[in-house]
């Protein structure tokens, strides 16, 4: 049962809603448009508001769902391991030739399971940054950093380590965005295709 829980966690994370929704409902492979990222922001950019919101919610839910798998399946795997595997699945999806997204929404779903208040704080930082700058990437990175800060103040060592690992990974995954932010070519939330 433990192996099944681990495999299902990875497979759950691997479901790329941005790819599935784009291909089925819009006949578009969003890997070929916008930033090429298989995430909610690029789904919004390429397919529109409705698709972006659906992808965001679905990607969040799959992160939380993976953490609930041990409970659902009655296995003894730690939910953290399931959450990490779901995030890995999202970034390196078996259904998308081991490419994927930057894991912001999926990680949000995972952290909702462990620290809902931390997610709330990160969400406030995300929204404020987005309102001020219109850059989703910058908002995602600052929200990630704020989650580390929140964890350091209010969470135990395990959650601190988890937030460090995931948030630093998210920032590394945004390295192209960082380059674009620095040279002024990063697209803003208002720039749609
Ligand atoms: O969550 C990903 C977002 O922060 C940036 O996405 O498509 O602009 O690279 P994108």
């Amino acid at each position: 049962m433990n192996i099944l829980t681990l495999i299902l966690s990875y497979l759950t994370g691997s479901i790329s809603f941005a790819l599935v929704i784009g291909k089925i409902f819009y006949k578009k492979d969003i890997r070929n448009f916008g930033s090429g990222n298989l995430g909610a922001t690029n789904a919004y950019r390429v397919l529109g508001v409705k698709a972006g919101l659906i992808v965001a919610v679905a990607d969040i839910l799959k992160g939380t769902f993976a953490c609930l798998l041990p409970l659902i399946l009655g296995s003894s795997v730690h939910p953290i391991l399931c959450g990490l595997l779901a995030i890995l699945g999202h970034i390196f999806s078996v259904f998308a030739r081991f490419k994927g997204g930057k894991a912001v929404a999926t990680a949000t779903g995972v952290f909702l399971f462990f620290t809902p208040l931390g997610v709330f704080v990160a969400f406030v930082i995300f929204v404020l940054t987005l309102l001020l700058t219109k850059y989703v990437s910058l908002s995602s990175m600052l929200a990630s950093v704020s989650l580390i800060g929140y964890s350091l103040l209010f969470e135990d060592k395990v959650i601190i380590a988890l937030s460090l690992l995931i948030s630093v990974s998210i920032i590394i995954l945004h390295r192209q965005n960082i380059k674009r932010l620095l040279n002024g070519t990063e697209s803003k939330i208002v720039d749609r295709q």
Side-chain angles (χ1 to χ4, degrees), residues 33-43 45 91 100-104 126 130 133-142 144 167-189 191:
F33 300 93
S35 67
N37 190 52
L38 285 174
T41 308
N42 205 35
R45 189 180 287 128
I91 302 168
K102 293 168 188 165
V104 177
F126 178 90
L130 191 60
T133 69
K134 312 274 185 274
Y135 291 122
V136 180
S137 55
L138 184 64
S139 309
S140 302
M141 288 187 278
L142 287 184
S144 300
S167 298
V168 169
S169 305
I170 284 176
I171 292 170
I172 292 171
L173 287 164
H174 279 81
R175 57 195 180 279
Q176 297 301 334
N177 302 82
I178 295 172
K179 276 187 202 160
R180 289 196 292 267
L181 282 165
L182 291 174
N183 66 28
T185 56
E186 177 71 332
S187 61
K188 296 192 170 188
I189 190 76
D191 304 330

Side-chain angles (χ1 to χ4, degrees), residues 74-153:
S75 90
S76 59
V77 175
H78 198 294
I80 283 187
L81 206 50
C82 297
L84 283 172
L85 280 168
I87 289 171
L88 272 180
H90 181 82
I91 302 168
F92 306 105
S93 169
V94 69
F95 306 122
R97 295 192 198 130
F98 297 99
K99 295 243 159 67
K102 293 168 188 165
V104 177
T106 308
T108 301
V110 170
F111 281 109
L112 265 180
F113 182 86
F114 296 105
T115 173
L117 209 55
V119 170
F120 174 74
V121 170
F123 181 69
V124 170
I125 298 294
F126 178 90
V127 171
L128 288 177
T129 312
L130 191 60
L131 287 174
L132 286 171
T133 69
K134 312 274 185 274
Y135 291 122
V136 180
S137 55
L138 184 64
S139 309
S140 302
M141 288 187 278
L142 287 184
S144 300
V145 172
S146 73
L147 189 72
I148 298 175
Y150 177 90
S151 303
L152 283 168
L153 288 173

Side-chain angles (χ1 to χ4, degrees), residues 1 4-13 62-77 79 82-83 86 113:
M1 193 52 85
L4 181 70
T5 308
L6 295 173
I7 293 172
L8 279 180
S9 299
Y10 170 75
L11 290 179
T12 301
K62 78 179 179 186
T64 311
F65 177 76
C67 297
L68 287 167
L69 275 174
L71 206 71
I72 295 167
L73 299 174
S75 90
S76 59
V77 175
C82 297
F113 182 86

